[in-house]
Amino acid sequence: MTHPQFRLGTRGSSLALVQANMVRDTLARAHGWTADAIEIVTIKTTGDRVQNVALAEIGGKALWTKELDRALLSGEIDCAVHSMKDVETIRPADIAIAAMLPRADVRDRLIGAESIAALRRGAVIGTSSPRRVAQLRRIRPDLATVLFRGNVDTRLAKVAAGAVDASMLAAAGLDRLGRPDVGVAIAIDIMLPAPAQGAVGIEARASDTRMLGWLAAIDDAATHCCVLVERALLAALQADCHSPVAALATRDGDTIRLRAELFAEDGSAHVSGEACAAVGDATLAARLAADLLARAPASVRRLFAA
């Protein structure tokens, strides 16, 4: 058999490369190919180059995707791997989210303390996530937060050096990097995760039917369904990188349960809710978004759809 030769694009961080190799190996197993049938192409993104400014101030999530999008549409690569929580809600029409791997642990991990309650009064937490800032401040209004960007190793080193008292990282990323014992997992009832957290997605050109067919063979339907519902909630809220929003969809048979929370930037106010619907009900996310906005305090509502 002649193996297909195609190029899989990825960012160059350690985590991104691990995820790209996961996709390559899963594709090879699914189709009976050797691993060298798929070339991994590293693309440097603006988000990787600029580390001292919040993403929301310099272009948002597109800083992780625009260079990969350009490489995909120009034919430099044939598909691209993304952490789905880093993919902006509205995507180009000529790019399709073709597949997602099974979702990993969706929780956040606290690095530097045994629990949020154990943090000293006035502790400084390093994070670049508006959601985490709002959630932490809601739980502990005395906490201070500072901008914290960089790859996993950089952030862990800063905590170890005492630059901050603690930080937070996604459990999925730590697990994929072989660090399951780093940090303390925070229950989702305490900190609901970011939409699409823990999910790895693969995009391809919408017109490339051969590639879409290959990728369909590794798609995890439950993950794909739930992540699309969470992304639909973001779209209905008109949320952006400044918006402190948490959401998690779970599937039980033919039913989808969607939970979500919206916050004021400083955590001083919030609104939460949930809704259930049959798998495939396209109104679920919009209905929950409308309910949340109708009940949200003004300090929360102003950050989302009018």
Side-chain angles (χ1 to χ4, degrees):
M1 173 184 177
T2 300
H3 292 154
Q5 297 288 333
F6 63 84
R7 297 150 299 171
L8 178 65
T10 179
R11 291 170 50 206
S13 71
S14 296
L15 178 57
L17 290 169
V18 166
Q19 293 176 168
N21 278 279
M22 287 168 54
V23 172
R24 181 199 62 190
D25 294 346
T26 304
L27 273 168
R29 286 194 301 270
H31 296 289
W33 303 335
T34 59
D36 59 6
I38 305 163
E39 178 189 357
I40 293 178
V41 178
T42 302
I43 306 290
K44 190 78 169 179
T45 70
T46 304
D48 292 310
R49 289 193 295 267
V50 182
Q51 295 290 332
N52 60 345
V53 182
L55 288 180
E57 304 301 326
I58 54 172
K61 291 182 177 181
L63 296 178
W64 299 127
T65 58
K66 65 180 182 179
E67 284 89 356
L68 283 160
D69 289 352
R70 184 161 53 243
L72 182 59
L73 294 175
S74 69
E76 181 182 344
I77 58 175
D78 300 295
C79 57
V81 178
H82 298 285
S83 292
M84 286 306 302
K85 76 171 184 177
D86 293 334
V87 177
E88 65 269 31
T89 308
I90 306 301
R91 301 295 288 133
D94 42 7
I95 293 177
I97 301 172
M100 295 186 202
L101 298 184
R103 198 170 197 173
D105 191 340
V106 301
R107 296 174 296 177
D108 291 310
R109 284 204 199 132
L110 178 66
I111 315 298
E114 291 302 311
S115 67
I116 295 171
L119 289 162
R120 68 173 178 85
R121 182 166 183 79
V124 179
I125 315 300
T127 179
S128 60
S129 163
R131 169 189 64 89
R132 288 172 177 153
V133 168
Q135 288 173 316
L136 287 166
R137 294 291 304 280
R138 177 171 178 263
I139 298 166
R140 289 278 306 273
D142 62 293
L143 297 177
T145 58
V146 296
L147 179 68
F148 221 45
R149 291 195 53 219
N151 61 32
V152 169
D153 286 332
T154 298
R155 298 187 199 195
L156 292 177
K158 287 180 179 179
V159 176
V164 293
D165 292 290
S167 185
M168 302 202 80
L169 292 168
L174 289 166
D175 288 346
R176 289 174 184 143
L177 288 169
R179 297 176 178 180
D181 299 324
V182 172
V184 177
I186 305 299
I188 60 173
D189 290 339
I190 295 174
M191 289 186 70
L192 200 64
Q197 185 155 307
V200 173
I202 310 100
E203 292 189 323
R205 291 181 292 276
S207 60
D208 190 343
T209 55
R210 184 173 68 159
M211 180 60 62
L212 294 175
W214 284 334
L215 293 172
I218 66 167
D219 185 43
D220 185 79
T223 297
H224 204 144
C225 174
C226 290
V227 169
L228 290 186
V229 168
E230 293 163 21
R231 288 171 58 81
L233 178 75
L234 292 175
L237 292 168
Q238 298 179 29
D240 59 25
C241 283
H242 294 278
S243 307
V245 54
L248 179 65
T250 52
R251 181 172 177 172
D252 183 6
D254 293 329
T255 300
I256 293 283
R257 177 192 181 199
L258 177 61
R259 287 171 281 176
E261 289 184 289
L262 313 181
F263 299 86
E265 291 169 309
D266 62 358
S268 60
H270 91 295
V271 61
S272 63
E274 67 175 74
C276 294
V279 172
D281 184 338
T283 70
L284 173 60
R287 285 191 287 107
L288 181 55
D291 171 64
L292 292 169
L293 291 171
R295 294 187 290 109
S299 59
V300 174
R301 192 168 54 250
R302 69 178 180 80
L303 300 176
F304 297 92

